[in-house]
Amino acid sequence: MAELLAVCRVYVLHPDPGTVGVTAIDKRPVDGRVKVRPYGLYADVQADRANHGGLDQAVYAYAQEDADHWSAELGREVTPGLFGENLRVSGLDVNGAVIGERWQVGSALLEVTQPRTPCQTFGRRLGEQRWVRRFTQANRTGAYLRVIENGELGAGDTVDVVHHPLHGVTVADWFGAQYGLARAAAGAGAGAGPAGAGSAGADAADADAPAANAPESLEELAQRLLNAHAAGEIRLSVDMHRRSEQAAARAVVD
């Protein structure tokens, strides 16, 4: 069973040498239940609003199984919120979530929109050499979500995948195709129970879904997403729609 381990929101703004001058990446767990609205968690904030936050990136989720991977790599604990995530979950393959997949968490309904693209602010936060490159190459990005139904959530809530689009393109599929990366192995807890199975994409009934040993190109994935968007199966984020159109256009030119 997938579970919400921690709910995190901004603890304090820190000075940052980037263009904005401050960063809100310092998220830490909070007690009790937290309201979720279209722009994210109550009392949370994003400093760089040109690149973070908004309706399509209202909530950021990261899996404990992926945090455990990084704890082993870095030799230190990756505590909830260290990566700037709002939700730390367990038993759910977040990278294997299908774009447009919906999660019921507490009384809130959330929808997966896109992977996280690491930035230099994230690199400065971790203080690890070549961090952005390492995080990218691992293809363990976590997922951004939009809020479909307002509600409240808190640590200990189950995370149930209640809608699973048939196009089958996952967060890791898309991110990996952009950078020529292999799919990271799912965490040990992912796939356990109905929620984990749904998130991994294994039960997608789409006959057009690619075989596991035959990854599709970015152009092919983009066309599948655009087809699903046009058919009303999903609603692509502004960024994903733009990137998909650009990739599909390259395929036509080629």
Side-chain angles (χ1 to χ4, degrees):
M1 179 178 67
E3 180 183 2
L4 179 59
L5 298 181
V7 179
C8 310
R9 60 189 178 196
V10 67
Y11 179 73
V12 66
L13 296 176
H14 291 280
D16 183 76
T19 56
V20 178
V22 294
T23 174
I25 197 172
D26 187 354
K27 314 282 188 189
R28 302 190 191 182
V30 296
D31 295 328
R33 304 194 68 72
V34 180
K35 293 180 180 179
V36 184
R37 296 295 182 262
Y39 285 94
L41 303 184
Y42 177 77
D44 194 32
V45 68
Q46 297 83 32
D48 181 3
R49 296 186 180 178
N51 296 297
H52 301 285
L55 295 172
D56 292 330
Q57 300 180 48
V59 178
Y60 175 48
Y62 206 75
Q64 182 62 45
E65 292 77 16
D66 291 315
D68 290 341
H69 163 84
W70 288 116
S71 292
E73 286 281 321
L74 301 175
R76 57 175 164 138
E77 186 180 3
V78 176
T79 56
L82 182 64
F83 283 6
E85 76 270 25
N86 300 115
L87 308 181
R88 175 67 67 86
V89 302
S90 176
L92 182 67
D93 182 7
V94 175
N95 307 306
V98 172
I99 303 297
E101 181 175 296
R102 292 186 176 184
W103 302 353
Q104 185 75 49
V105 190
S107 59
L109 183 63
L110 310 176
E111 182 177 88
V112 174
T113 57
Q114 61 192 75
R116 182 230 194 111
T117 300
C119 62
Q120 292 303 321
T121 301
F122 187 27
R124 290 188 289 272
R125 162 75 162 164
L126 267 290
E128 296 285 343
Q129 217 173 22
R130 298 168 61 247
W131 175 249
V132 171
R133 181 180 177 85
R134 291 168 67 186
F135 188 81
T136 297
Q137 290 182 329
N139 199 2
R140 297 174 181 265
T141 66
Y144 281 118
L145 303 103
R146 66 166 61 98
V147 179
I148 301 299
E149 293 180 4
N150 297 345
E152 292 185 348
L153 46 75
D157 285 346
T158 59
V159 182
D160 296 315
V161 179
V162 296
H163 173 67
H164 192 78
L166 297 180
H167 63 77
V169 180
T170 69
V171 166
D173 289 338
W174 177 258
F175 190 81
Q178 287 186 95
Y179 296 99
L181 306 171
R183 171 76 167 87
S199 67
D203 63 348
D206 186 6
D208 294 329
N213 61 350
E216 290 181 295
S217 67
L218 181 65
E219 293 78 9
E220 291 169 324
L221 294 176
Q223 193 58 62
R224 291 175 64 195
L225 288 173
L226 290 171
N227 289 344
H229 179 85
E233 181 186 0
I234 60 171
R235 178 166 59 92
L236 288 173
S237 69
V238 173
D239 182 58
M240 286 289 290
H241 195 274
R242 175 181 58 83
R243 291 174 183 269
S244 295
E245 286 192 320
Q246 290 174 342
R250 286 197 299 270
V252 172
V253 172
D254 294 343

